[in-house]
Amino acid sequence: MDKIIINGGKKLRGEVKISGSKNAALPILFAALLTDEPVTITNVPSLADIDTTLAFLNFIGKTAVKKGGTVKTLASKNYKHIAPYDLVRKMRASVLIMGPLLARLNKVDVSLPGGCAIGARPIDIHLDAFRQLGANIEVESGYVKTAAEKGLFGANINFRFPSVGATENIMLAAVLAKGKTKIINAAKEPEIADMADMLNKMGAKVSGAGTKTITIEGVEKLHGCTHRVIPDRIEAATYLIAAAITKGSVVLKDVVPEHLKAVSGKLKKCGMSIKETKNSVSAKWVKDLKPCDISTEVYPGFPTDVQAQWMALMCILKGKSCVKENVFENRFLHVAELQRLGADLAVDGKFVNIKGVEKLSGAPVMVSDLRAGAALVLAGLAAEGKSTVNRIYHLDRGYESLEKKLKKLGADIKRTRT
Ligand code: EPU
């Protein structure tokens, strides 16, 4: 199993090119199932979750090949309608197979995704919405069996919570449904607007993506297209925090500054100097930083996917701060590992109260999930001495060339195999 070894204390300096967004690329790859024509997707990051998705598409019957950052899917005819446990268990986003297959085949059987380290993560919002589009759903032998014998019909669907995955899944189904669908209380994340862009290039009629009401006029057929995935705002935010935690100076290339506002705004409040151009953001440490509370919210609020990394930074800022997690029920698994590095943290329900310590000291730590892993790497960069970060396969799911990019910025970091 691979490990990352960090000798902390180096200030990061220089430029880093931000990769394409994992969470945009995943639904976009599933969208390729909506047409039999070839599709080309560029700026696709090289990540374990992308490989899992490509294997999944190929299993279903959609030939998809990745070369560098470009995925090409070929013309296809027959899809399987069953998504087995072995594929679904590897990645929760596998449930996004439901929308396109239901739209194309009028039926799909998906192994029920279990919970994961960050919470139970049910899919009731997806299933309720599919029912409203006319699907019949049964859960049997660990599978969600979904069928719409007469096809899907547009409906007005009101989400009880703006779930990212449910918004994507229902859009993927509704683009080929008969009539108009309205998703009310939809998720507004930029990844959803990016998928809508791709769908519209394929001939879909989607409007309002990126706002809380999305309207979809169903069409008969979709065609092939070429689409470039947006930059990864979570990877970008992680490097901004890397600049702050190492008292360094980092320029992010190829980002959408608007997508980073929640994090860059908080960093500014802490005292970082932040500068933006049309497609770059720079973060420079100029004075001692002050701690700052955050509360995670859906977009455009502070992203839950940056909560752990933010906490790592607060651990070493003089004074008290508080982190509140509103989106997931159990996303504090990094707390115990940060404590191993010397952090002073107390969990209280949805809150973590942080007392800044003078320094963290390197130690062996274990990654429990993707963003917890990012937090531990950041803490290791700031800590005195050597940290060994174990179970980094979680990091390989979501950070392209993490240690190479950090090394180029001046970190003393390497990957080893045991
Ligand atoms: N939820 C329900 N019922 C549902 C769907 C969601 O109760 O039917 C709950 C979940 O349990 C969770 C909350 O709603 O507590 C948010 O879930 P959401 O559906 O919005 O998240 P997701 O689609 O499963 C995506 C990202 C996550 C990111 C969340 C929130 C992808 C592939 N994943 O997950 O990314 O944290 O949105 O922004 O897009 C990550 O990249 O590390 C990651 C976990």
Side-chain angles (χ1 to χ4, degrees):
M1 234 192 265
D2 287 5
K3 295 174 180 177
I4 284 179
I5 296 174
I6 304 168
N7 284 303
K10 299 271 188 293
K11 293 185 196 308
L12 299 195
R13 289 187 197 286
E15 284 183 9
V16 58
K17 191 198 164 301
I18 297 306
S19 301
S21 159
K22 164 179 86 82
N23 289 347
L26 297 177
I28 280 172
L29 286 171
F30 284 111
L33 288 167
L34 291 167
T35 179
D36 289 332
E37 294 181 19
V39 165
T40 301
I41 305 158
T42 63
N43 205 29
V44 180
S46 294
L47 300 170
D49 276 8
I50 297 293
D51 293 342
T52 303
T53 307
L54 295 177
F56 203 171
L57 293 180
N58 284 295
F59 170 85
I60 291 294
K62 167 67 81 189
T63 304
V65 182
K66 184 166 185 291
K67 224 177 180 183
T70 300
V71 171
K72 286 185 190 258
T73 66
L74 304 185
S76 52
K77 284 246 153 16
N78 299 314
Y79 295 150
K80 293 192 185 82
H81 76 283
I82 298 179
Y85 175 71
D86 271 353
L87 284 168
V88 178
R89 77 178 166 83
K90 283 197 184 146
M91 189 185 71
R92 284 192 52 88
S94 300
V95 296
L96 296 176
I97 198 85
M98 293 182 85
L101 287 190
L102 200 49
R104 295 299 309 277
L105 307 175
N106 286 345
K107 63 176 177 182
V108 54
D109 296 351
V110 179
S111 173
L112 253 182
C116 69
I118 60 177
R121 302 181 80 181
I123 54 165
D124 57 306
I125 302 172
H126 305 233
L127 300 186
D128 281 352
F130 285 136
R131 279 193 192 98
Q132 290 175 65
L133 293 177
N136 201 351
I137 299 177
E138 281 170 18
V139 179
E140 205 184 293
S141 313
Y143 275 78
V144 185
K145 300 190 169 180
T146 311
E149 275 161 32
K150 296 185 182 137
L152 297 173
F153 296 89
N156 284 348
I157 299 167
N158 206 333
F159 282 171
R160 70 168 168 82
F161 176 85
S163 154
V164 172
T167 303
E168 291 162 349
N169 229 347
I170 302 320
M171 287 166 74
L172 289 165
V175 283
L176 290 177
K178 290 188 189 75
K180 194 202 276 188
T181 298
K182 222 179 216 185
I183 307 177
I184 301 146
N185 199 24
K188 296 184 286 191
E189 272 65 6
E191 294 74 21
I192 286 165
D194 196 29
M195 188 186 79
D197 264 5
M198 148 104 169
L199 292 171
N200 285 338
K201 285 181 195 162
M202 294 170 81
K205 292 188 177 158
V206 180
S207 57
T211 74
K212 62 180 186 186
T213 308
I214 301 177
T215 306
I216 304 142
E217 296 269 2
V219 296
E220 285 255 318
K221 208 173 167 187
L222 295 178
H223 52 74
C225 75
T226 296
H227 183 78
R228 183 180 164 82
V229 174
I230 55 167
D232 195 313
R233 64 192 169 98
I234 307 300
E235 186 200 23
T238 304
Y239 284 100
L240 288 180
I241 296 174
I245 207 167
T246 64
K247 302 186 175 178
S249 171
V250 171
V251 182
L252 311 180
K253 292 286 182 191
D254 206 358
V255 291
V256 181
E258 181 64 29
H259 294 171
L260 292 167
K261 284 280 187 229
V263 178
S264 59
K266 284 283 179 182
L267 283 172
K268 236 185 218 174
K269 268 198 177 161
C270 292
M272 286 293 283
S273 161
I274 304 282
K275 294 209 169 95
E276 294 172 0
T277 69
K278 197 167 154 260
N279 57 3
S280 78
V281 176
S282 66
K284 188 172 180 186
W285 188 91
V286 283
K287 58 180 179 195
D288 280 336
L289 301 178
K290 292 190 305 262
C292 198
D293 297 348
I294 58 142
S295 179
T296 65
E297 304 291 347
V298 296
Y299 190 82
F302 195 95
T304 172
D305 291 342
V306 188
Q307 177 256 106
Q309 301 90 312
W310 188 263
M311 194 184 296
L313 173 62
M314 292 305 107
C315 288
I316 54 155
L317 301 190
K318 194 171 173 197
K320 288 183 184 172
S321 57
C322 178
V323 161
K324 184 178 181 208
E325 174 57 54
N326 290 305
V327 179
F328 286 101
E329 58 185 10
N330 182 28
R331 207 171 195 181
F332 288 145
L333 290 168
H334 41 284
V335 166
E337 298 302 301
L338 289 169
Q339 284 167 332
R340 293 176 56 73
L341 298 170
D344 186 344
L345 305 170
V347 181
D348 179 7
K350 286 183 167 201
F351 299 88
V352 175
N353 295 307
I354 305 156
K355 275 190 212 147
V357 294
E358 240 170 60
K359 65 175 177 70
L360 297 174
S361 19
V365 286
M366 196 178 78
V367 177
S368 55
D369 65 86
L370 172 56
R371 308 304 171 186
L376 295 174
V377 168
L378 291 173
L381 292 172
E384 231 175 63
K386 176 174 151 184
S387 295
T388 306
V389 184
N390 294 287
R391 299 204 181 167
I392 59 166
Y393 53 84
H394 290 291
L395 280 162
D396 294 335
R397 295 184 53 189
Y399 286 91
E400 185 174 54
S401 308
L402 177 66
E403 69 279 8
K404 284 190 196 128
K405 288 185 181 184
L406 287 171
K407 202 170 180 165
K408 203 168 150 240
L409 290 171
D412 181 345
I413 184 169
K414 66 174 182 204
R415 176 184 287 249
T416 61
R417 187 157 287 181
T418 43

